[in-house]
């Protein structure tokens, strides 16, 4: 996260802090000065140290003109808070991942016929976006302290191979990250379905029976934070290369969008893809995993997608929708007791008929 913080400081934060908290000019006695109040522009004593050796971005003058230097803990905490809020959960590219890639997924991948499904909620896309943005501030507040600890050097992040376990680990860290986080997300996600927890925290995400790409981050803030904890804990337990860290957080956000886009590309028995996750939204208590099916299989919660789900015309037929709607109603009755959703196609859906 220090790489992301450095980029944010260079292009945004340095200028903001120099304007909000300028370093006051100090009087100085120039040799043979005639006035005691002669002043010069003051500069911070902070010195630039690149966050990574892979690239260096020389700071602009603004980096030296604030009373809150880049290494000030309060400034770091505030900047990380706004990074995690405005860039959606984890990285500086998150806003691109969510808003732009979710939009691209909606335009080019998401089947608009889904919006005519009897379990599609009225004005759903707007509601998904609203839920996401309502959750961001608190999620950011909860997440920022973990990022601050990383930036202050309490984690096991390393920059170049020589600082890590070795060249072999540069490769192993990727599957290790995915397996470790998937294991803990499985159990966190599963316990979020406990009757005493579900209705308070996880139910907002299950509002979307037929999710769109915009539902990918539409969580209750505590729910979203709880499921992100394994990602933040990993670099405190295992070494993790800094650029790999940035890549993995972009990938996690991108993957989350993909499993909500309704495009069932493959019925892979190992990967928890969009088909598997769609069953979680319609059957609730199956397929809790994020990336793989292994922990669902071991935990007895795996439900294999049926063959018809990969037949586009069958999957989008009104007959199949009616059958599935009855099954969903039974699940909602069992899990929630009553259904407080308001169903109905969007105006967009009518235009796409």
């Amino acid at each position: 996260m220090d790489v992301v913080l450095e980029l944010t400081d260079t292009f945004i934060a340095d200028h903001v802090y120099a304007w909000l908290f300028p370093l006051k000019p100090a009087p100085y006695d120039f040799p043979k000065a005639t006035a005691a109040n002669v002043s010069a522009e003051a500069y911070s004593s902070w010195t630039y140290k690149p966050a990574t050796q892979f690239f260096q971005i020389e700071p602009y003058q603004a980096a030296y003109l604030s009373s809150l230097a880049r290494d000030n803990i309060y400034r770091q905490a505030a900047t990380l808070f706004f990074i995690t809020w405005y860039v959606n959960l984890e990285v500086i590219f998150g806003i691109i991942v969510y808003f732009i890639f979710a939009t691209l997924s909606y335009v080019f991948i998401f089947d608009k016929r889904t919006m005519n499904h009897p379990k599609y909620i009225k004005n759903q896309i707007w509601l998904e976006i609203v839920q996401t943005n309502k959750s961001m501030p608190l999620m950011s507040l909860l997440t920022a302290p973990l990022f601050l600890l990383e930036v202050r050097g309490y984690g096991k992040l390393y920059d170049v191979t020589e600082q890590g376990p070795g060249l072999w680990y540069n490769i192993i860290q990727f599957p290790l990250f995915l397996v470790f986080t998937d294991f803990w997300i499985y159990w966190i996600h599963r316990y979020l379905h406990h009757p005493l927890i579900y209705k308070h925290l996880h139910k907002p995400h299950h509002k979307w029976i037929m999710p769109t790409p915009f539902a990918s981050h539409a969580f209750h803030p505590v729910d979203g934070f709880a499921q992100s904890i394994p990602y933040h804990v990993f670099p405190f337990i295992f070494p993790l290369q800094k650029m790999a860290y940035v890549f993995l957080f972009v990938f996690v956000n991108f993957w989350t969008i993909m499993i909500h886009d309704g495009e069932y590309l493959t019925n892979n028995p190992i990967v928890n893809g969009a088909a598997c996750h769609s069953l979680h939204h319609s059957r609730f208590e199956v397929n809790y995993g994020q990336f793989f099916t292994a922990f669902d299989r071991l935990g007895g919660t795996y439900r294999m997608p049926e063959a018809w789900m990969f037949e586009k015309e069958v999957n989008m037929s009104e007959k199949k929708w009616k059958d599935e709607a009855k099954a969903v109603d039974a699940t909602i009755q069992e899990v929630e007791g009553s259904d407080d959703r308001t169903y109905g196609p969007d105006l967009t859906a009518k235009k796409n008929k």
Side-chain angles (χ1 to χ4, degrees), residues 302-320:
Y302 176 64
R303 176 160 181 165
M304 181 183 294
E306 298 180 51
W308 61 263
M309 296 177 67
F310 300 89
E311 299 175 19
K312 180 69 75 172
E313 296 310 311
V314 176
N315 191 27
M316 288 292 163
S317 68
E318 289 191 17
K319 181 181 183 305
K320 182 57 69 176

Side-chain angles (χ1 to χ4, degrees), residues 4-5 11 37 54 88 98 100 109 116 122 155 161 193 235 266 270 272 278 314 318 341:
V4 175
L5 183 60
F11 297 107
N37 62 349
F54 289 98
N88 186 31
Y98 177 68
I100 295 182
I109 298 176
N116 293 309
K122 186 177 181 180
T161 301
H193 278 259
T266 178
I270 298 174
N272 180 32
S278 71
V314 176
E318 289 191 17
R341 299 165 183 81

Side-chain angles (χ1 to χ4, degrees), residues 4 7 87-88 90-98 101 246 250:
V4 175
L7 290 170
V87 303
N88 186 31
E90 328 295 351
V91 296
I92 197 166
F93 307 111
I95 194 169
I96 299 174
V97 173
Y98 177 68
F101 281 105
V246 174
V250 173

